[in-house]
Amino acid sequence: MQQYFYDLADFVGVQLQSGEIYTTYLTGENSDFCRFSGGKVRQAGGVKQYSLSLRLINGQRHAQGSLSLSSHKDSDRQQIKDLLGILREQLAELPEDPYLLYATDVQSSEARRQNLLPDSREVVANIIERASGLDLVGIYAAGSIYRGFANSLGQRNWYESYPFNLDWSLYLQGDKAVKTSYAGFVWEDGAFAQKLADAKAQLAVLNLPPRTIKPGQYTVYLAPPALAEVTDMLSWNAFGLKAHRTKQTSLLKMVEAGVSMNSAVTMRENTAEGLAPDFSDSGYRRPAQVNLITNGHYQDSLVSPRSAKEYGVATNAAGDGESPQSLELAAGTIERSDVPQILGEGVYINNLWYLNYSDQSACRMTGLTRFASFWVENGEIKQPVNVMRFDESALRMLGDKLVGLTKERDMIMSAHTYERRSVNSAHLPGAVIKDFSFTL
Amino acid sequence: MQQAQFAHIKKLFQETVPTVDFASLRYHRDCDDLVAVRQDVLEPLRTNRDQGVMVTVHHRGGIGYGATSELTPSGLREAFARAVAWAERLGSVAVTDFSKIDMPHKRGEFKSPVREPWDGLSLRSKVEMLSDASRRLKRGSSIVDWSADLWHLRSDRLYLTNGGGEIYQSFDRLVPSLSVTANKGSETVTRTFGHMAVCRQQGFELLAETGFNTASEQLAEEALELLAAPNCPSAQMDLLLAPDQMVLQIHESIGHPLELDRILGDERNYAGTSFVTMDMFGRYQYGSPLLNVTFDPSRPEQAASYAFDDEGSPAELQYIIKDGILLRPLGGTISQARADYDGVASARADSWRRPAIDRMSNLNVEPGTVFFEDMIEGVERGIYMQTNCSWSIDDSRNKFQFGCERAQLIENGKLTKVVKKPNYRGISSNFWRSLKSVGHLSNMEVLGTPYCGKGEPNQAITVGHASPPCLFANVDVFGGE
């Protein structure tokens, strides 16, 4: 696919007229998906898709479009010619863009993983066999993922990866379930068997009579997947330069009112250790790290090329949404095995669900517990807890209410597949939080 | 040109369709155009063109699909081979015997009723219109961000089956947006033109019908008013929801819990399960007797109207809840066969990349008899909330908390003080049973949302919700910090 993309890029270059520049970005995948319900197969199949985004620049004017590639040279070349025609017509009608910024330093790169994936149908058959008699629900997604960039200055970037992601839950009854995932690049049947055994062991605790707790304030532990829901909310709008300059960031009180988080909180966009490509769709190379929050204080923002031009600062190759793709929260000092004892009496929360802001300026979020959440008493896990709604400021969760973060961290590979399989990841510890507010 | 492409796809299907129990092909050609002006500067245009096919087979008890943008004989053969391989290998461990499901093989067509089409207005005219709307949003130094957008989505589709089914549908949607943000110190408020809920199968006539061209000044004034307003009080009181919040209330606490694939357990790992069980249909008191909810694909201009769903089943108006009693779930042919229960034609896919799953389509609260002014007059102590901005509900679709952009207190039958950051919370079934008044047809608004997410792999699809304002008794209301 790499050579095919580069050949198309060369073709675009040949089509240019005087004064024109192009940039192009490819997203592609050849994916297998199998959806499980009740330990059986609900839907299974494959999706082969390649999308080419093309930007035509002439002076300070530019227009952008995308098309789906057919993988046949003549057909795709004709599609590109047609799209270039549309973009040229648009350029003639467009004003100059004061915020146009594009990469002019040629920084080519190539990152390619070896394909070590086994046949997906055999993996799925094996999962079904091992989960026989169990109520397993979820999805197996596997296959190639491609990203490519090219421009008329000669820059060429390529990213090729072959991950799998089994995102699944084991249900006991009703809404009582254990959620887990198994993701990586080399499928190991033994590793899956161990995860399945661990989940089955947790089901035994879920089988105990559930406890319904009253609204109020509790000491809680947010396991890394639960904390990831909180950081996903922050990723939505907290770290972008545009959100900061237009006062829409949920961290407004950190930058306008002197509020800080706990000094243990250090967050970075860590491209060097994440799974996403180190180049953006605009052709800029991403720095290894961007320090977002350091020792509880806001530090740097994610800056897209457009925001960089608008606000007169340097870009750090963020996408248009200025959201992290490879977020990292520094490890703390709590041993994960000590969490129940530190909680004493409280709630051990493995997963949160459906977060949203109830007061964005105050960074106050609401959401719910989901899957396996347990009541802890005398430092021991006692019984499952029925679903509870919380409403709490993330500034306090990670500020004066934060007891500590765990030493151990999970590398969470995103299972999102809207339009295409995600390459995002998060590297997070768990968090013990006191006076956490449950409301319903 | 579109007819030629349909003919090409039909020929490809005839050449490549394998001998299986059931085979279908769904071809999409989608155009996605966005013109946006932010702070009076034109944003980069979006001009996306996308086409591909999804083939599905039911074979030896199994189900398999293959999606590809390679629209050639070899591309389709590969997609079909992939689908057949999945069905063959895992047919014995499928959730049901798919070969026994009687899939429809219908013929027909549908076209959105557009009067003033997207291409009928030049790019320059669109930019000028949005620039004008944008300029009128900036009313004072407290306004720190403002934008005006037009988003156009066109999808031409062909559905074919190995039993002679042949369906052409052409959807043309417009989503106009305005947004204005005001700030003072560490306090920021935003007011929008319906928060993307103004979404219909119409052309530019939608703008006049919904007041888009004259909305800027009022939204800006309301943003400034909210910035100076006190927080919404915390109390139990009567809650009157505007149609642009009813959209969300219907969507989250009626639509999703009634999706049959949730009830069957398919969504439990991602979008969630449902508090509704199969034994509730036909007898469960979902809401007060004033609650009447329809699945209505027949209102042509509504966002998710169609003649056939993506399993090829003909769509028709059905009552989902009648006089408060739950009647039928939202599920297509396959889910109905698995559940052995009648549903509606609501299996849909968001693109050629994804298989059809159970969806909402148009789900509407039917109008009552009370005019808006009379609803206000009947409230001694309450609050009127407008325009959704926050939504959260548990995975069984029971415990919800929603937030709105703007609210106004109702005191002794009159709208009084404006308050900011209004939120309310409740439990779905209790909430709908507290419905005490349903607005008149003349106060009904036809709205929707282009972003309804669910499914594995994930899909985001357009749904429609029409509703009048509705009044609920004794709701837990609160504000920001």
Side-chain angles (χ1 to χ4, degrees):
Chain A
M1 195 62 207
Q2 180 182 14
Q3 193 54 52
Y4 187 72
F5 169 60
Y6 286 174
D7 287 347
L8 287 180
D10 291 342
F11 176 76
V12 176
V14 170
Q15 301 302 308
L16 293 183
Q17 297 177 358
S18 175
E20 291 179 344
I21 292 171
Y22 81 88
T23 70
T24 185
Y25 188 70
L26 176 113
T27 57
E29 66 185 53
N30 191 353
S31 300
D32 288 318
F33 296 112
C34 182
R35 187 172 199 195
F36 305 95
S37 183
K40 298 189 172 199
V41 172
R42 167 61 186 95
Q43 278 169 324
V47 177
K48 190 175 176 183
Q49 60 166 330
Y50 305 102
S51 176
L52 188 84
S53 171
L54 182 59
R55 181 158 63 157
L56 188 64
I57 304 165
N58 196 333
Q60 278 300 113
R61 292 181 171 82
H62 64 120
Q64 184 169 309
S66 74
L67 52 87
S68 40
L69 295 174
S70 71
S71 306
H72 279 250
K73 190 172 72 175
D74 292 346
S75 166
D76 287 336
R77 286 184 170 191
Q78 187 58 51
Q79 287 198 87
I80 287 170
K81 284 172 89 167
D82 292 346
L83 181 58
L84 279 171
I86 293 171
L87 299 180
R88 272 195 195 103
E89 282 178 17
Q90 290 179 347
L91 282 186
E93 291 194 67
L94 293 176
E96 292 192 340
D97 184 353
Y99 305 141
L100 171 64
L101 184 67
Y102 55 92
T104 50
D105 290 338
V106 174
Q107 293 192 316
S108 299
S109 65
E110 191 172 301
R112 184 187 286 110
R113 276 184 183 271
Q114 196 179 353
N115 181 3
L116 300 172
L117 295 173
D119 181 274
S120 291
R121 286 182 288 276
E122 296 314 311
V123 171
V124 167
N126 186 266
I127 292 167
I128 294 277
E129 189 180 335
R130 285 199 178 276
S132 176
L134 297 171
D135 188 358
L136 183 142
V137 193
I139 186 166
Y140 177 77
S144 58
I145 294 177
Y146 308 108
R147 300 285 185 271
F149 176 85
N151 66 14
S152 47
L153 303 175
Q155 181 170 329
R156 298 289 184 270
N157 304 88
W158 186 251
Y159 167 93
E160 183 171 330
S161 184
Y162 296 85
F164 72 88
N165 199 327
L166 175 64
D167 187 61
W168 54 288
S169 338
L170 214 52
Y171 267 78
L172 180 70
Q173 59 189 11
D175 64 354
K176 296 293 177 288
V178 176
K179 164 96 171 176
T180 187
S181 70
Y182 176 35
F185 301 92
V186 182
W187 175 272
E188 292 178 14
D189 194 47
F192 170 63
Q194 185 57 52
K195 283 181 173 284
L196 193 63
D198 292 346
K200 283 166 73 175
Q202 284 198 60
L203 283 186
V205 183
L206 283 177
N207 204 21
L208 295 169
R211 184 185 185 104
T212 300
I213 62 174
K214 292 179 179 171
Q217 297 199 316
Y218 294 82
T219 303
V220 302
Y221 171 65
L222 300 184
L227 192 59
E229 295 291 327
V230 175
T231 57
D232 276 358
M233 278 304 295
L234 294 176
S235 297
W236 183 10
N237 73 344
F239 303 116
L241 182 69
K242 186 166 82 174
H244 278 253
R245 295 299 173 93
T246 61
K247 314 296 182 187
Q248 295 177 78
T249 171
S250 59
L251 300 181
L252 194 60
K253 288 191 185 299
M254 287 184 86
V255 290
E256 293 287 340
V259 174
S260 59
M261 290 182 177
N262 187 298
S263 60
V265 175
T266 290
M267 284 191 202
R268 297 184 196 92
E269 167 72 332
N270 193 340
T271 299
E273 293 183 13
L275 303 171
D278 69 351
F279 57 92
S280 72
D281 60 0
S282 55
Y284 285 94
R285 296 291 298 279
R286 296 193 170 105
Q289 282 96 22
V290 178
N291 296 313
L292 304 170
I293 295 172
T294 302
N295 299 329
H297 296 279
Y298 197 81
Q299 189 168 344
D300 293 324
S301 294
L302 296 173
V303 186
S304 70
R306 191 166 185 80
S307 287
K309 192 72 181 286
E310 180 174 356
Y311 298 113
V313 299
T315 180
N316 48 31
D320 290 342
E322 300 185 326
S323 295
Q325 288 191 289
S326 309
L327 189 72
E328 177 195 39
L329 175 57
T333 57
I334 295 174
E335 298 278 357
R336 192 178 289 181
S337 57
D338 291 341
V339 165
Q341 282 190 325
I342 292 170
L343 283 176
E345 181 177 285
V347 187
Y348 190 111
I349 300 169
N350 276 302
N351 303 88
L352 293 174
W353 162 246
Y354 220 139
L355 275 61
N356 211 322
Y357 287 110
S358 54
D359 183 346
Q360 187 165 314
S361 294
C363 204
R364 200 179 82 191
M365 303 171 178
T366 187
L368 301 120
T369 61
R370 190 174 178 188
F371 300 111
S373 294
F374 299 107
W375 178 251
V376 175
E377 207 170 278
N378 298 322
E380 290 181 6
I381 288 177
K382 292 290 184 186
Q383 61 195 119
V385 171
N386 282 325
V387 167
M388 287 299 293
R389 172 172 292 288
F390 72 90
D391 199 336
E392 184 63 85
S393 160
L395 294 176
R396 289 194 293 266
M397 280 187 239
L398 298 174
D400 58 3
K401 292 187 175 184
L402 182 67
V403 175
L405 302 167
T406 59
K407 275 183 184 172
E408 300 90 342
R409 293 187 292 174
D410 286 1
M411 186 68 173
I412 299 170
M413 292 170 65
S414 172
H416 284 186
T417 49
Y418 285 104
E419 295 188 38
R420 60 186 68 87
R421 286 157 60 211
S422 173
V423 292
N424 290 0
S425 63
H427 195 192
L428 304 173
V432 177
I433 299 166
K434 65 183 180 183
D435 299 331
F436 187 80
S437 300
F438 287 119
T439 56
L440 184 66
Chain B
M1 181 175 169
Q2 193 57 64
Q3 290 309 314
Q5 182 68 345
F6 281 169
H8 170 63
I9 299 297
K10 192 175 167 184
K11 183 167 177 287
L12 284 179
F13 178 69
Q14 289 164 345
E15 288 173 0
T16 59
V17 62
T19 304
V20 291
D21 298 317
F22 171 77
S24 68
L25 176 151
R26 177 164 41 82
Y27 165 74
H28 294 229
R29 186 179 190 283
D30 297 336
C31 301
D32 170 349
D33 297 279
L34 178 73
V35 185
V37 172
R38 175 176 164 264
Q39 295 193 10
D40 309 333
V41 174
L42 180 66
E43 294 274 275
L45 299 178
R46 187 167 75 208
T47 309
N48 295 344
R49 302 292 178 261
D50 182 32
Q51 62 174 340
V53 299
M54 163 67 73
V55 299
T56 304
V57 301
H58 295 185
H59 179 56
R60 297 185 187 171
I63 187 170
Y65 63 79
T68 183
S69 53
E70 197 175 328
L71 304 178
T72 61
S74 62
L76 257 71
R77 279 196 189 94
E78 183 186 337
F80 268 124
R82 202 167 185 175
V84 169
W86 275 105
E88 277 186 352
R89 179 68 180 86
L90 298 164
S92 62
V93 290
V95 294
T96 189
D97 184 344
F98 285 93
S99 293
K100 287 184 176 168
I101 298 176
D102 188 16
M103 297 299 291
H105 300 275
K106 303 289 185 187
R107 300 171 74 88
E109 57 186 53
F110 175 89
K111 190 171 173 37
S112 302
V114 171
R115 294 203 306 272
E116 299 174 34
W118 177 257
D119 292 333
L121 201 61
S122 70
L123 175 58
R124 197 181 302 270
S125 298
K126 289 169 192 147
V127 172
E128 283 172 2
M129 181 204 301
L130 292 172
S131 297
D132 179 54
S134 168
R135 273 190 296 275
R136 288 184 285 114
L137 286 166
K138 174 68 173 166
R139 293 175 77 83
S141 58
S142 296
I143 303 287
V144 291
D145 202 17
W146 62 100
S147 61
D149 308 352
L150 287 172
W151 181 20
H152 174 246
L153 293 154
R154 181 182 167 110
S155 183
D156 294 304
R157 300 183 184 188
L158 169 65
Y159 180 78
L160 302 167
T161 71
N162 60 346
E166 189 169 325
I167 296 165
Y168 299 86
Q169 300 197 94
S170 178
F171 305 106
D172 211 316
R173 300 185 175 100
L174 190 62
V175 188
S177 298
L178 297 167
S179 179
V180 55
T181 298
N183 166 265
K184 184 178 181 186
S186 58
E187 188 68 3
T188 298
V189 295
T190 295
R191 191 80 178 96
T192 68
F193 185 68
H195 196 247
M196 308 283 284
V198 180
C199 164
R200 288 192 205 161
Q201 295 190 57
Q202 284 187 291
F204 288 110
E205 67 272 18
L206 171 67
L207 304 185
E209 289 181 18
T210 56
F212 177 83
N213 293 326
T214 55
S216 293
E217 289 85 351
Q218 184 179 340
L219 290 174
E221 292 301 332
E222 287 179 355
L224 294 170
E225 186 182 30
L226 284 168
L227 192 62
N231 262 312
C232 177
S234 296
Q236 281 218 331
M237 60 178 80
D238 283 359
L239 172 64
L240 178 58
L241 296 181
D244 61 2
Q245 172 58 21
M246 282 298 295
V247 168
L248 195 282
Q249 187 69 53
I250 297 165
H251 183 89
E252 301 287 8
S253 67
I254 294 180
H256 280 308
L258 300 187
E259 288 163 346
L260 193 44
D261 57 353
R262 282 174 174 270
I263 298 168
L264 290 167
D266 298 350
E267 285 285 344
R268 288 174 296 166
N269 183 60
Y270 178 57
T273 180
S274 176
F275 71 91
V276 173
T277 51
M278 290 306 299
D279 60 323
M280 292 179 176
F281 291 101
R283 62 184 186 85
Y284 181 70
Q285 187 79 42
Y286 204 97
S288 83
L290 296 172
L291 181 64
N292 289 289
V293 177
T294 55
F295 168 85
D296 187 0
S298 62
R299 185 187 282 268
E301 81 282 17
Q302 200 170 352
S305 293
Y306 48 80
F308 300 88
D309 73 359
D310 288 329
E311 288 175 345
S313 302
E316 57 185 18
L317 187 149
Q318 299 275 4
Y319 269 84
I320 302 300
I321 297 171
K322 177 85 170 155
D323 301 328
I325 302 293
L326 180 62
L327 296 183
R328 64 171 66 211
L330 303 171
T333 299
I334 290 176
S335 292
Q336 289 175 42
R338 290 170 63 199
D340 192 22
Y341 204 93
D342 286 345
V344 294
S346 62
R348 303 169 65 206
D350 72 345
S351 70
W352 59 268
R353 300 169 177 80
R354 297 290 181 256
I357 55 175
D358 292 339
R359 286 295 193 166
M360 262 175 254
S361 311
N362 292 337
L363 192 70
N364 303 337
V365 166
E366 294 299 309
T369 56
V370 188
F371 289 99
F372 180 73
E373 296 75 14
D374 297 332
M375 295 175 106
I376 300 287
E377 270 187 27
V379 175
E380 188 180 323
R381 180 166 174 269
I383 190 165
Y384 172 55
M385 292 194 192
Q386 293 173 277
T387 318
N388 178 261
C389 67
S390 177
W391 56 99
S392 173
I393 189 165
D394 74 35
D395 63 307
S396 299
R397 297 282 148 175
N398 235 337
K399 292 183 175 181
F400 66 78
Q401 179 171 318
F402 301 141
C404 291
E405 291 179 0
R406 181 179 190 270
Q408 211 167 347
L409 298 181
I410 309 172
E411 296 168 300
N412 300 316
K414 292 192 186 327
L415 284 170
T416 59
K417 193 163 53 177
V418 170
V419 293
K420 68 183 174 187
K421 299 183 179 176
N423 289 267
Y424 64 101
R425 61 170 81 100
I427 292 174
S428 295
S429 52
N430 298 346
F431 185 78
W432 287 106
R433 286 187 209 128
S434 73
L435 176 66
K436 59 189 279 190
S437 183
V438 179
H440 189 266
L441 175 64
S442 60
N443 302 128
M444 190 156 173
E445 292 183 27
V446 179
L447 302 168
T449 172
Y451 293 116
C452 171
K454 66 178 281 195
E456 290 177 310
N458 307 148
Q459 306 189 42
I461 208 163
T462 301
V463 301
H465 300 300
S467 177
C470 287
L471 181 65
F472 300 86
N474 296 322
V475 179
D476 190 7
V477 167
F478 59 99
E481 299 201 351

